[in-house]
Amino acid sequence: MAVWLLWPAAPREPVRVVAAAGVPAVAAETSAVAAGHGPPAPSAAVTASAATPKEPVAVASSDDLADHVPPGQTPSMKQVIEGLHARGIRTGLGAFNPPGTRPPLIGLAVPEDFALPPGYVRHHQATDDGQRIEAILMFAPDFRLFDAQGREIPLPADRVVPPELAPPGLPLRRITLPPPRQGE
């Protein structure tokens, strides 16, 4: 402590320490010290009552979802994401497409122990509510398929393997989507 009082003060910008509502001023001062702004001067003591704002502060642009949803409303995730997109927000939750805009692909189920020949891949997916879906069989992005005469066979645009082009030995069974979770 005596070393700090005798240590020459380095010039620095003043740090304004403000505690958020419900956060003691001591915690705000501690975070200022942790941020590398040095120990607060003895005269810079802040009390919680002086630092707590009396009125809510309007935020022009915030990453807090609560600032974008009116109080008392509980919008669906689709409504939240569409609202963020309407405001031009494309980060955080706004980086995602709304649920249901890209439905899962339906195709042939691929058992995990089935050895895939070259040109075929397992495609893993999840539902909008986070449930894993059984892997489906797809063509690899750079794969080209040829018939016995050497003519190229056109592949489906979505690259999902139809039953007639499945590799030999694969059980031909289409996946089924799990039902939505309750309460969602």
Side-chain angles (χ1 to χ4, degrees), residues 14 25 30 48 53 55 71 78 80 96 100 103 112 135 172 176:
T30 304
E55 296 292 322
K78 182 176 182 177
V80 168
F96 296 95
E112 287 298 322
L172 301 180
T176 57

Side-chain angles (χ1 to χ4, degrees), residues 67-161:
D67 293 337
H68 300 278
V69 178
Q73 290 189 4
T74 54
S76 68
M77 188 54 62
K78 182 176 182 177
Q79 293 168 322
V80 168
I81 293 172
E82 286 172 346
L84 292 171
H85 288 179
R87 290 177 178 88
I89 299 171
R90 297 287 177 171
T91 58
L93 287 175
F96 296 95
N97 287 324
T101 56
R102 187 173 177 211
L105 297 172
I106 306 296
L108 298 175
V110 186
E112 287 298 322
D113 60 348
F114 184 79
L116 293 177
Y120 294 92
V121 296
R122 286 180 177 80
H123 179 64
H124 297 273
Q125 308 173 88
T127 63
D128 285 337
D129 61 8
Q131 297 180 70
R132 294 188 74 183
I133 300 173
E134 193 173 9
I136 65 167
L137 185 65
M138 293 184 73
F139 291 109
D142 58 349
F143 182 66
R144 295 171 55 198
L145 188 63
F146 298 92
D147 66 12
Q149 286 76 36
R151 294 179 301 229
E152 188 170 357
I153 299 172
L155 301 180
D158 62 4
R159 298 186 3 252
V160 175
V161 176

